[in-house]
Amino acid sequence: MDDTPADRRDLGLATARAFAGDELADGYLARLGQVSPDLADALLTNVYSDVLSRPGLTPRDRELLTLATLIALGGCNDQLRIHVELALNVGTEPQEILETLLQAAAYAGFPRALAAAAIVHDAFAARGLLPGRER
């Protein structure tokens, strides 16, 4: 593959679809493109093509890192909601997401982890993944 903008965009789109599925990726990119086509292209070529398509980490690992980063940043609820879904799409186990919340609480603080937990709750509930209390 050449390193032309069109090739990078195609790789980015293929990677976005691999993470999100065709419908979610295409819908999100279409909505973003209505507001800012340049931002949609930058997302595809910079994030999905140049970073997420790299072979150094699995998609699961990349999504766990993304979740931890978004939790630590705080105020990224829409992106966090999307990436909880993407994490599940690429095979992340619900328990791994819950462990990421605990890890983030220790390093980013409980308020940010608790805000993220509400988003995780909604995503898990929608998929029938809410865990029962085992203790």
Side-chain angles (χ1 to χ4, degrees):
M1 175 177 281
D2 294 326
D3 196 27
T4 68
D7 289 334
R8 288 177 63 224
R9 189 178 191 291
D10 289 346
L11 176 58
L13 184 57
T15 304
R17 287 176 174 165
F19 273 69
D22 292 352
E23 187 175 325
L24 181 60
D26 292 347
Y28 182 80
L29 290 166
R31 283 188 306 278
L32 181 57
Q34 288 174 339
V35 174
S36 176
D38 291 338
L39 185 56
D41 276 347
L43 179 65
L44 283 175
T45 58
N46 294 306
V47 177
Y48 282 98
S49 177
D50 293 350
V51 178
L52 294 179
S53 70
R54 293 175 57 84
L57 295 170
T58 66
R60 176 199 149 279
D61 292 342
R62 289 187 187 283
E63 284 303 325
L64 286 173
L65 288 166
T66 300
L67 291 176
T69 301
L70 291 171
I71 293 166
L73 284 170
C76 302
N77 292 353
D78 291 338
Q79 291 77 25
L80 183 59
R81 191 171 292 108
I82 289 167
H83 283 282
V84 170
E85 294 293 334
L86 297 187
L88 293 168
N89 287 352
V90 298
T92 306
E93 294 295 328
Q95 188 60 38
E96 293 173 311
I97 294 172
L98 298 177
E99 288 297 324
T100 302
L101 284 172
L102 284 171
Q103 185 78 13
Y107 286 92
F110 275 89
R112 290 191 176 168
L114 293 173
I119 292 167
V120 170
H121 173 277
D122 293 347
F124 282 15
R127 291 188 183 214
L129 298 174
L130 286 177
R133 183 83 176 156
E134 294 181 16
R135 287 191 211 177

